Amino acid sequence: MTERFVAVLATPAMAAAAPPGIDPREFLRAITEDTCDLLSNLEGVRLALATPIPGLDDLTWPGTHVIDAASASAAFDALAGLATAPGAEAAVITADAPDLPPLLIAKLFRALGRAKVAYAPADGGGLVALAARLPLPGWAAGIDPDAPAAGVRLRKAAPDRPDVAKTPGWHRLRTPADLHHLDPALEGWDATRALLSGHPLPR
């Protein structure tokens, strides 16, 4: 069975979506907790939290690897060091997608059956997730999920067109206006939901 890792990448910039009246630090903690929770239910994967921010390890489940990393590339490097056998795969998910359907992660790993790197685009540009066979290929290193044209850059950098696969995308919470993407009717994102209680979501 293929060894698989999923890492949640939480960076200070992700606190920018906190609406007025909400402490940005608490907002970042809430979305990180929710994203870790939804990924913790995936079968056959080892969960990690990649962040340069101290004090977030209390949000994770026992056994979760906490990695000091501020970028997707650094997270992949650390995950490669955790792999116990050749052929391991990993996915890095941005923490500002607390309502991400786990099915999208399964699609990323499925795409690695034919490609060396797979990505899920984010609404408005950038990536919400990036997956690769470990170690991350050198031509994919340095890809920034926040870069608007990250997907295009990956495809241009790949030696061969089939080396990169695009999977269905999702939204990220990058500004307070993006909170309108959160659907109160959907299960999940409990910590974010509780924090935003009493703060009407934008329309």
Side-chain angles (χ1 to χ4, degrees):
M1 185 174 179
T2 301
E3 186 177 20
R4 288 174 171 166
F5 299 87
V6 175
V8 176
L9 177 63
T11 64
M14 294 177 183
I22 297 291
D23 185 335
R25 293 168 299 180
E26 292 303 312
F27 179 82
L28 178 59
R29 285 179 60 84
I31 61 174
T32 300
E33 179 179 357
D34 284 337
T35 307
C36 286
D37 280 352
L38 70 88
L39 297 177
S40 69
N41 294 321
L42 294 176
E43 294 186 6
V45 301
R46 296 169 64 186
L47 181 62
L49 171 61
T51 182
I53 306 168
L56 294 184
D57 53 307
D58 65 317
L59 303 177
T60 62
W61 290 84
T64 300
H65 297 282
V66 180
I67 299 167
D68 183 4
S71 68
S73 292
F76 276 109
D77 288 345
L79 294 174
L82 295 174
T84 59
E89 300 172 347
V92 174
I93 319 299
T94 60
D96 52 7
D99 59 342
L100 181 75
L103 179 61
L104 294 188
I105 309 305
K107 290 181 180 294
L108 281 168
F109 283 123
R110 191 175 305 127
L112 293 181
R114 64 183 189 277
K116 295 179 180 178
V117 173
Y119 72 93
D123 294 352
L127 310 179
V128 70
L130 179 65
R133 302 177 195 173
L134 295 176
L136 182 68
W139 51 264
I143 292 295
D144 180 5
D146 291 330
V152 174
R153 292 180 183 177
L154 269 175
R155 294 195 296 273
K156 287 184 176 180
D160 296 300
R161 190 170 184 176
D163 286 341
V164 177
K166 179 182 178 182
T167 65
W170 196 249
H171 50 256
R172 293 175 57 182
L173 307 181
R174 290 183 274 202
T175 70
D178 290 332
L179 296 178
H180 80 275
H181 290 298
L182 295 172
D183 186 349
L186 292 179
E187 294 184 1
W189 56 282
D190 294 341
T192 305
R193 191 192 306 267
L195 186 65
L196 296 176
S197 177
H199 291 74
L201 299 180
R203 296 296 179 187

